Amino acid sequence: MSDDNKGFLPAIQGLRGVAALTVLIVHLQDMPLLAGFLPPIWSWLEATINMGGHGVELFFMISGFLIPASLVRHRSVGKFFLDRCLRILPVFVILHVILFTIGPLVGYKFFKGIDLATYLKLFFVNLAFLPDALGLPIGQQNAWTLSYEWAFYILFALAFVAAARNWVLAAPFVALAAAGIIYRPIAAFFLVGLLFSFVDLRIRVAGWPGVLAGILCGAAMYVSIEYLHPLVGLIPGALLFGMVLAPDSGLAAALSARPLQFLGKISYSLYLVHPFALFPLQIIGVKLAAHGVNLWLLWAGFAGLGLIVALIACTVSYELIEVRLRRLLDPALRGLLFGVRREARYVA
């Protein structure tokens, strides 16, 4: 995710908003289902909503497109990773501490009956983004994708530095990335973004036909990942992304709409924070269901109020943590590590 305004593409910002929103919609159904107050709904509707979780592959494509330019722009692997840490860690670490502080008190997920040794192990494994790789319980509901992001950052940076000296030196890292895709095929969606970052290929379908074509490609991508194979979804995913990157396409214009720009701006907080914002409503829903409140009414209330609460909480997170806290941390860490202050263009 780019951190400055150089080369800013509104359609990319809007696509971030769509990705985060589809994941949120999944949890507006999934959390009542797990808590036992989701009313009986059509199986096709449940399956359709569940496919929204594939918004994470949209995030992967965006990272694949933006990270190469970011690494080149920084002209320093150290500065690149400092910016990655400043971008990802503040929100994640604060939520991590909240989870591991309050979780044992309320018996949340794996915290019920946990011993100290297991607690400490899970604390540090989750802090290092390694629970999925080690087959251990994941604390933050959506943080598993950050393990993919960090693996991509590290492998691409190593391959980039090695290739700058000799292309042969990059071969082991490319082979490791290929092995990772075989093991976890959804990681292949980083390659879609990489392709478009190196090849000036844009798909221009203007007006409403472009919007319709984008919706159909997005739907085909989600369906392919869910019911066929993630690698099959690469084809409609690439077509979708090519239309997103064409500034005069109908899809790019639609994604540049103000509401999607706002959602894209807060998308990282929206993605990580909303399960925390929805959890109290989930507890209330369980209690009301036990008192016989109509399940359809409960679900409607949870979804409507949950959407509002999530947007408010995530906007606050964005303003206080992503903007203000980062603004405080950035010059201090940059000065400590590199002896320089962040360029004025970032602060502006």
Side-chain angles (χ1 to χ4, degrees), residues 248-326:
D248 51 353
S249 74
L251 181 61
L255 290 172
S256 300
R258 185 171 296 179
L260 289 179
Q261 292 299 294
F262 172 73
L263 290 177
K265 182 176 70 172
I266 67 168
S267 59
Y268 180 60
S269 280
L270 181 59
Y271 181 70
L272 282 188
V273 173
H274 79 258
F276 289 80
L278 294 178
F279 180 68
L281 297 180
Q282 185 185 39
I283 298 301
I284 294 172
V286 171
K287 294 183 181 299
L288 292 177
H291 283 82
V293 177
N294 181 272
L295 296 185
W296 285 101
L297 182 62
L298 273 181
W299 187 31
F302 178 85
L305 186 58
L307 181 61
I308 295 171
V309 170
L311 289 175
I312 293 173
C314 299
T315 301
V316 171
S317 170
Y318 171 78
E319 291 293 341
L320 294 184
I321 303 175
E322 294 191 58
V323 176
R324 299 187 186 186
L325 179 58
R326 183 178 177 182

Side-chain angles (χ1 to χ4, degrees), residues 8 58 103 114 202:
F8 174 79
L58 297 179
I114 195 173
R202 305 294 183 261

